Amino acid sequence: MTVIKETNYSLLEKQLASLIEDESNLIAILSNTSALLNDTLDQVNWVGFYLIENNELILGPFQGHPACVHIAIGKGVCGTAVSEDKTQLVADVHAFPGHIACDANSNSEIVVPIHKNGEIIGVLDIDAPIKNRFTKEDQQGLEAIVSILENQLSK
């Protein structure tokens, strides 16, 4: 059994807020956020963003192996997060209907929608090489991280 070290989300929130507090460029903010999360989270193999453009999700800043560039809204875990406008916490991606396998080594995933001025603009997507990687605590922590992003992007 894989032991996952617990993430101190309170500390991570403070680090992120400090890292992006004076920045307004979307790409810079998302790039540093993906790097911070990738460095901090245990047992993950992809951390990044997909942004809505022309009514589909387009690959944004990320850390990890090359990924799918285009994802239709409503398709896969990321597209479902957008169409339902709610976090998707998936213990086993192979059991998720319509899962898009960008990386065969990914076994679990969490996707959190991102909003700007009340409209969804994309998602935070994190994959893990083990099943059942993400917990409700991770969901709450990552939703708080996305809240910090949303506040910064709305300034």
Side-chain angles (χ1 to χ4, degrees):
M1 183 175 148
T2 303
V3 176
I4 301 163
K5 78 176 177 195
E6 205 169 296
T7 302
N8 182 340
Y9 281 102
S10 177
L11 177 60
L12 188 55
E13 289 170 40
K14 290 177 182 135
Q15 289 173 318
L16 178 62
S18 175
L19 186 64
I20 66 173
E21 69 183 336
D22 295 323
E23 189 52 62
S24 61
N25 181 277
L26 175 66
I27 299 304
I29 289 169
L30 299 183
S31 295
N32 270 336
T33 302
S34 64
L36 179 65
L37 291 171
N38 191 58
D39 284 349
T40 305
L41 297 174
D42 192 37
Q43 288 291 323
V44 298
N45 60 336
W46 201 90
V47 177
F49 296 91
Y50 281 91
L51 300 170
I52 296 175
E53 189 177 305
N54 298 325
N55 208 33
E56 69 174 341
L57 287 165
I58 302 292
L59 180 64
F62 72 93
Q63 301 278 313
H65 293 294
C68 301
V69 175
H70 301 267
I71 297 177
I73 292 174
K75 301 292 185 195
V77 181
C78 289
T80 300
V82 171
S83 64
E84 294 181 4
D85 195 6
K86 79 175 200 189
T87 298
Q88 303 293 306
L89 192 148
V90 182
D92 179 358
V93 294
H94 307 291
F96 189 91
H99 172 251
I100 300 166
C102 295
D103 182 348
N105 293 318
S106 292
N107 285 302
S108 60
E109 184 171 7
I110 187 165
V111 179
V112 182
I114 304 168
H115 302 85
K116 181 177 180 181
N117 302 324
E119 290 201 24
I120 189 163
I121 61 163
V123 296
L124 164 62
D125 178 20
I126 305 177
D127 295 354
I130 57 173
K131 292 180 181 174
N132 298 301
R133 161 59 184 91
F134 303 103
T135 64
K136 287 291 182 190
E137 291 76 24
D138 289 306
Q139 180 175 340
Q140 291 168 345
L142 292 168
E143 286 172 347
I145 292 295
V146 165
S147 244
I148 292 167
L149 291 177
E150 291 171 340
N151 289 338
Q152 188 65 26
L153 296 174
S154 296
K155 287 184 178 178

